[in-house]
C-alpha cells in the first residue's frame, strides 16, 4: 500500500515532461559543416576564383597589347611627320648611292661615301645611313649663343664671316638620319631606333673664337654631289659620330636579305633607293626604314627639276606588347609612308620680261 501512494505523483510528473523533438535539417545546419562539405566548397570557390583571375589576366594582357600597338603606331606617325616637315625645308637630298656604297648613277664624281667623311661609317650593319640632306637654319641657333653685336671686335679673319652671317641670318646645315640596331645597349627596348645627326656650319657664334666654321665652303648646285668637309679630317668639326640624338625607339629591324619581297621598290629608275637594294648591297640589314629619292639632274640641259622623296617606316610593337621577340604578327608591325617635295628647284630658267 505504501508503494502505490507515490504512483499518482509519478504519473503526473511523467505526463508533464515534453519529449525531445527529432533533429531537423535546420537544427543540423546550426551545428556547422562537415569536413567533406568544407572541401567541396573550397574546391568550387577555388575554381571560380581561378576562372575570374584567368579572365582578368586575359583582359589586362589584351589591353596591354592594344596599348602597345596603338602607342607604337602613334610614335611612328609622329616621327615620320617630323622627318617629312624637315624634308620640306631641304635644299638637296643625297641619292642612296652616295651614302652606303658609291654608285656611279647616283654619285658619278665622288671617290668616298659621304658618311665615311663624317665619321659615320659602320659597315652598314649596325648604323645604316638612310637620309642625308642640306637645309637652311636660322641664326642664331639658340638664344644662349647669339650673333656678335659688333663684327669689328672679332679677329680679322672672322669679320667677313660675321658680317655675312648677320646679313643672311641663316646658314646651311647637313642632316643625316640613320637606322641604329639596338644590339649595343640595354637602354633601348625595341629592335632598332632612328638617330638624327647634324653638321652645322658654325660651332659657336659668341665665344672668343666666334664664327669658327665646321666646314669651309657651302655646297651649291651642281656641287652637292662632290661636296666634302674641307676643314680637314673627321677629328675636326667634320666628325658628327658623337653628335646624334635619338628620334624614336621601337623601330623594326629585320634582315632585308630574308624579306626582300616585303621591300617596295622605287617606282622608276629616276629614283634611288636608300639604303641600296639588297641585291646591290646585301649587308644593309633592314628594310624597315628606307627612302626613294629622285635623282637630281646632272646635265646642264635638264631644267626646272624639283626633287621629291618617298619615305617608308615600319615600327615593331612585339616586345612592347610582351610577345616573343622573334614573332612577326602583322598587326604589331605598323607600316607608314609619306611623300615629300623639297622646296628647291634645279636648273630653273627665270622668266624673261618682254
Amino acid at each position: 500500500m505504501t508503494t502505490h501512494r507515490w504512483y499518482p505523483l509519478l504519473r503526473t510528473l511523467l505526463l508533464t515532461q515534453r519529449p525531445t523533438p527529432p533533429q531537423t535539417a535546420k537544427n543540423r545546419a546550426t551545428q556547422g559543416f562537415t569536413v567533406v562539405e568544407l572541401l567541396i566548397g573550397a574546391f568550387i570557390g577555388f575554381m571560380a576564383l581561378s576562372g575570374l583571375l584567368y579572365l582578368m589576366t586575359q583582359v589586362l594582357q589584351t589591353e596591354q597589347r592594344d596599348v602597345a600597338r596603338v602607342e607604337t603606331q602613334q610614335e611612328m606617325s609622329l616621327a615620320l611627320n617630323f622627318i617629312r616637315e624637315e624634308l620640306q625645308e631641304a635644299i638637296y637630298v643625297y641619292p642612296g648611292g652616295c651614302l652606303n656604297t658609291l654608285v656611279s648613277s647616283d654619285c658619278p664624281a665622288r671617290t668616298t661615301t659621304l658618311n665615311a667623311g663624317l665619321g659615320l661609317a659602320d659597315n652598314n650593319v649596325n648604323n645604316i645611313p638612310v637620309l642625308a640632306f642640306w637645309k637652311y637654319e636660322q641664326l642664331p641657333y639658340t638664344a644662349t649663343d647669339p650673333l656678335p653685336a659688333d663684327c669689328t671686335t672679332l679677329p680679322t679673319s672672322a669679320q667677313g664671316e660675321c658680317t655675312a652671317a648677320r646679313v643672311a641670318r641663316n646658314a646651311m646645315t647637313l642632316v643625316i638620319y640613320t637606322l641604329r640596331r639596338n644590339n649595343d645597349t640595354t637602354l633601348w627596348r625595341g629592335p632598332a631606333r632612328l638617330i638624327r645627326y647634324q653638321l652645322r656650319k658654325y660651332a659657336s657664334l659668341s665665344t672668343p673664337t666666334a664664327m669658327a666654321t665646321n666646314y669651309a665652303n657651302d655646297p651649291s648646285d651642281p656641287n652637292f654631289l662632290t661636296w666634302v668637309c674641307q676643314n680637314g679630317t673627321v677629328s675636326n668639326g667634320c666628325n658628327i659620330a658623337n653628335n646624334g640624338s635619338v628620334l624614336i625607339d621601337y623601330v623594326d629591324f629585320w634582315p632585308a636579305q630574308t624579306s626582300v619581297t616585303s621591300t617596295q621598290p622605287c617606282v622608276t629608275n629616276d629614283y634611288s633607293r636608300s639604303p641600296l637594294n639588297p641585291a646591290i648591297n646585301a649587308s644593309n640589314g633592314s628594310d624597315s626604314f628606307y627612302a626613294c629619292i629622285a635623282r637630281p639632274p646632272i646635265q646642264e640641259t635638264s631644267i626646272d627639276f624639283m626633287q621629291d622623296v618617298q619615305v617608308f617606316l615600319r615600327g615593331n610593337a612585339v616586345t612592347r606588347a610582351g610577345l616573343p621577340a622573334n614573332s612577326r604578327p602583322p598587326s604589331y608591325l605598323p607600316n607608314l609612308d609619306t611623300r615629300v617635295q623639297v622646296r628647291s628647284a634645279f636648273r630653273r630658267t627665270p622668266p624673261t620680261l618682254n
Side-chain angles (χ1 to χ4, degrees):
M1 295 297 295
T2 305
T3 303
H4 295 287
R5 290 175 52 189
W6 299 102
Y7 180 78
L9 181 62
L10 290 175
R11 185 172 179 273
T12 302
L13 289 175
L14 290 174
L15 290 175
T16 57
Q17 293 294 323
R18 294 183 179 179
T20 303
Q23 282 191 326
T24 63
K26 182 177 180 180
N27 292 335
R28 287 197 302 269
T30 59
Q31 296 178 0
F33 296 100
T34 65
V35 174
V36 175
E37 291 173 334
L38 288 174
L39 290 176
I40 294 174
F43 178 76
I44 294 174
F46 175 77
M47 293 300 295
L49 183 60
S50 298
L52 290 174
L53 289 176
Y54 176 78
L55 181 61
M56 184 179 296
T57 301
Q58 291 298 108
V59 170
L60 293 176
Q61 191 177 65
T62 301
E63 182 181 7
Q64 177 192 0
R65 292 177 178 178
D66 289 342
V67 169
R69 182 173 59 248
V70 172
E71 286 184 349
T72 301
Q73 184 163 1
Q74 290 177 342
E75 290 172 2
M76 294 302 113
S77 179
L78 290 174
L80 197 61
N81 286 338
F82 182 87
I83 295 173
R84 177 179 55 81
E85 291 177 1
E86 195 163 35
L87 276 171
Q88 288 176 337
E89 302 174 4
I91 304 168
Y92 178 89
V93 185
Y94 284 95
C98 297
L99 304 182
N100 305 292
T101 301
L102 288 178
V103 177
S104 59
S105 59
D106 286 348
C107 284
R110 292 194 70 90
T111 57
T112 60
T113 60
L114 179 68
N115 52 295
L118 299 171
L120 287 179
D122 194 20
N123 298 323
N124 302 324
V125 175
N126 294 318
N127 198 21
I128 307 169
V130 175
L131 283 173
F133 55 90
W134 288 95
K135 72 170 190 174
Y136 279 109
E137 274 196 288
Q138 186 176 356
L139 294 179
Y141 300 123
T142 63
T144 57
D145 187 27
L147 283 163
D150 185 1
C151 293
T152 60
T153 61
L154 301 181
T156 304
S157 59
Q159 290 181 11
E161 191 76 40
C162 174
T163 302
R166 286 186 58 81
V167 172
R169 292 286 173 168
N170 58 54
M172 296 184 72
T173 297
L174 176 64
V175 178
I176 299 181
Y177 283 94
T178 69
L179 177 67
R180 178 74 184 184
R181 191 175 187 180
N182 290 342
N183 60 355
D184 58 339
T185 177
T186 58
L187 177 63
W188 307 103
R189 301 301 182 185
R193 62 191 185 272
L194 298 189
I195 301 182
R196 180 187 181 275
Y197 298 89
Q198 67 179 14
L199 177 65
R200 285 174 165 168
K201 182 173 184 178
Y202 301 108
S204 176
L205 299 174
S206 60
T207 60
T209 57
M211 310 310 294
T213 56
N214 289 325
Y215 57 85
N217 297 323
D218 292 335
S220 60
D221 182 29
N223 300 320
F224 287 100
L225 286 176
T226 58
W227 180 89
V228 292
C229 195
Q230 296 170 328
N231 272 11
T233 65
V234 293
S235 60
N236 296 328
C238 303
N239 186 2
I240 63 174
N242 297 320
N243 190 28
S245 56
V246 176
L247 178 64
I248 195 73
D249 193 12
Y250 291 103
V251 180
D252 190 33
F253 194 101
W254 198 251
Q257 52 265 39
T258 63
S259 59
V260 176
T261 55
S262 65
T263 302
Q264 299 186 35
C266 296
V267 288
T268 67
N269 291 331
D270 294 331
Y271 288 80
S272 169
R273 187 187 186 278
S274 180
L276 298 176
N277 285 313
I280 300 175
N281 186 356
S283 64
N284 276 337
S286 181
D287 64 349
S288 56
F289 179 48
Y290 68 98
C292 292
I293 303 163
R295 294 186 179 97
I298 298 174
Q299 302 298 327
E300 292 292 343
T301 55
S302 302
I303 62 173
D304 204 14
F305 174 84
M306 298 190 73
Q307 196 177 23
D308 67 290
V309 181
Q310 190 170 9
V311 184
F312 300 85
L313 177 63
R314 183 171 64 243
N316 188 317
V318 171
T319 56
R320 197 179 212 172
L323 298 172
N326 60 348
S327 59
R328 305 287 295 173
S331 60
Y332 293 89
L333 303 171
N335 287 278
L336 298 92
D337 67 274
T338 186
R339 192 161 196 155
V340 184
Q341 181 172 283
V342 303
R343 67 179 188 177
S344 295
F346 297 86
R347 316 286 194 263
R348 173 166 286 182
T349 302
T352 57
L353 298 176
N354 295 329

